[in-house]
């Protein structure tokens, strides 16, 4: 199968930074927070993989900030192509706002998908995400609405270039194959 190039398809050159969000387009998922970083990082583009009713509001927000040309809506991607499509991004975002118990305890698949694609992550410092990010060192944690913290985290990640290292960690620790025995042992010890 041929390589799927996100940059080629969206006409984003290699010297540009890609901030990535993948998943359902919904309020409280930190997509606007990611977009509001574009006026600060003039070399960056936002790529949104997924769909949802929130898209129109995001488009209007981009127009209002006069950065709509640097916001790209990729649409839905078949799951089997997701890692390949995502791999050209520089930072994956998961800035979930703790608006409910479900959001507070969230451990989104996108964290694992970003890591497997070799993309450092900026995530909300919510309990479950914090455990994974800290234990495996695959990104930075911030409060969902802490703009200065997000700016510092982006700068740190862009200076560190740890993509291959993150991908290796994910392949060794964050896939089902490596967790299966642990899961089965836990089940058996509780039986």
């Amino acid at each position: 199968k041929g390589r799927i190039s996100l940059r080629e398809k969206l006409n984003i050159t290699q010297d540009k930074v890609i901030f990535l969000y993948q998943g359902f387009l919904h309020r409280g998922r930190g997509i606007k927070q990611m977009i509001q970083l574009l006026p600060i990082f003039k070399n960056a583009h936002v790529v949104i993989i997924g769909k949802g009713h929130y898209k129109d509001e995001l488009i209007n927000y981009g127009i209002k900030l006069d950065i709509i040309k640097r916001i790209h809506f990729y649409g839905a991607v078949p799951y089997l192509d997701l890692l390949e499509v995502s791999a050209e991004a520089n930072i994956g975002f998961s800035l979930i706002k703790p608006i409910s118990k479900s959001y507070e305890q969230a451990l989104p698949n996108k964290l694992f998908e970003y890591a497997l694609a070799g993309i450092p992550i900026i995530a909300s410092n919510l309990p479950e995400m914090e455990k994974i990010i800290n234990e495996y060192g695959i990104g930075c944690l911030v409060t969902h609405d802490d703009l200065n913290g997000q700016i510092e985290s982006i700068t740190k990640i862009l200076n560190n270039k740890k993509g291959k290292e993150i991908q290796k960690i994910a392949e060794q620790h964050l896939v089902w194959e490596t967790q299966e025995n642990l899961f089965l042992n836990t089940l058996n010890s509780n039986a």
Side-chain angles (χ1 to χ4, degrees):
K1 191 174 182 182
R3 211 167 107 49
I4 302 166
S5 173
L6 184 70
R7 289 180 182 273
E8 235 172 73
K9 183 171 179 189
L10 299 175
N11 200 23
I12 301 172
T13 56
Q14 290 297 325
D15 61 321
K16 304 295 185 203
V17 171
I18 293 178
F19 297 160
L20 179 69
Y21 172 86
Q22 61 190 41
F24 189 68
L25 279 52
H26 207 306
R27 257 192 194 85
R29 304 276 173 96
I31 308 169
K32 270 190 175 177
Q33 279 76 11
M34 182 178 64
I35 289 171
Q36 76 178 358
L37 292 159
L38 286 181
I40 297 150
F41 292 90
K42 307 260 185 244
N43 197 32
H45 288 248
V46 160
V47 173
I48 299 167
I49 296 176
K51 34 186 202 181
H53 61 275
Y54 194 47
K55 181 178 176 181
D56 291 341
E57 192 169 324
L58 295 171
I59 289 170
N60 290 334
Y61 188 60
I63 291 168
K64 183 177 142 196
L65 294 180
D66 197 27
I67 51 171
I68 194 64
K69 287 185 175 104
R70 292 191 288 138
I71 301 171
H72 309 269
F73 292 91
Y74 196 89
V77 171
Y79 192 76
L80 293 175
D81 295 335
L82 191 57
L83 295 184
E84 191 176 353
V85 170
S86 302
E88 289 185 298
N90 299 90
I91 302 174
F93 283 77
S94 187
L95 296 173
I96 293 177
K97 186 177 181 180
I99 54 178
S100 68
K101 271 284 182 224
S102 165
Y103 275 32
E104 253 174 64
Q105 298 302 316
L107 185 55
N109 283 343
K110 68 174 69 46
L111 292 188
F112 303 99
E113 293 156 358
Y114 292 154
L116 282 166
I119 307 167
I121 302 159
I122 294 181
S124 300
N125 56 351
L126 299 174
E128 297 305 315
M129 291 196 286
E130 193 167 353
K131 281 182 206 167
I132 295 291
I133 300 285
N134 283 341
E135 184 171 346
Y136 297 105
I138 56 175
C140 296
L141 294 159
V142 293
T143 306
H144 77 279
D145 58 356
D146 175 9
L147 190 64
N148 288 331
Q150 291 162 21
I151 292 167
E152 283 173 31
S153 295
I154 290 167
T155 304
K156 180 180 169 187
I157 286 172
L158 292 177
N159 289 332
N160 285 345
K161 310 245 186 279
K162 287 175 58 174
K164 288 292 168 212
E165 190 181 317
I166 287 170
Q167 191 172 27
K168 220 171 256 165
I169 289 166
E171 287 169 354
Q172 291 170 354
H173 301 285
L174 301 176
V175 293
W176 170 248
E177 291 76 12
T178 61
Q179 296 297 310
E180 183 177 17
N181 286 334
L182 181 67
F183 177 72
L184 292 173
N185 290 337
T186 303
L187 276 181
N188 290 334
S189 68
N190 291 330

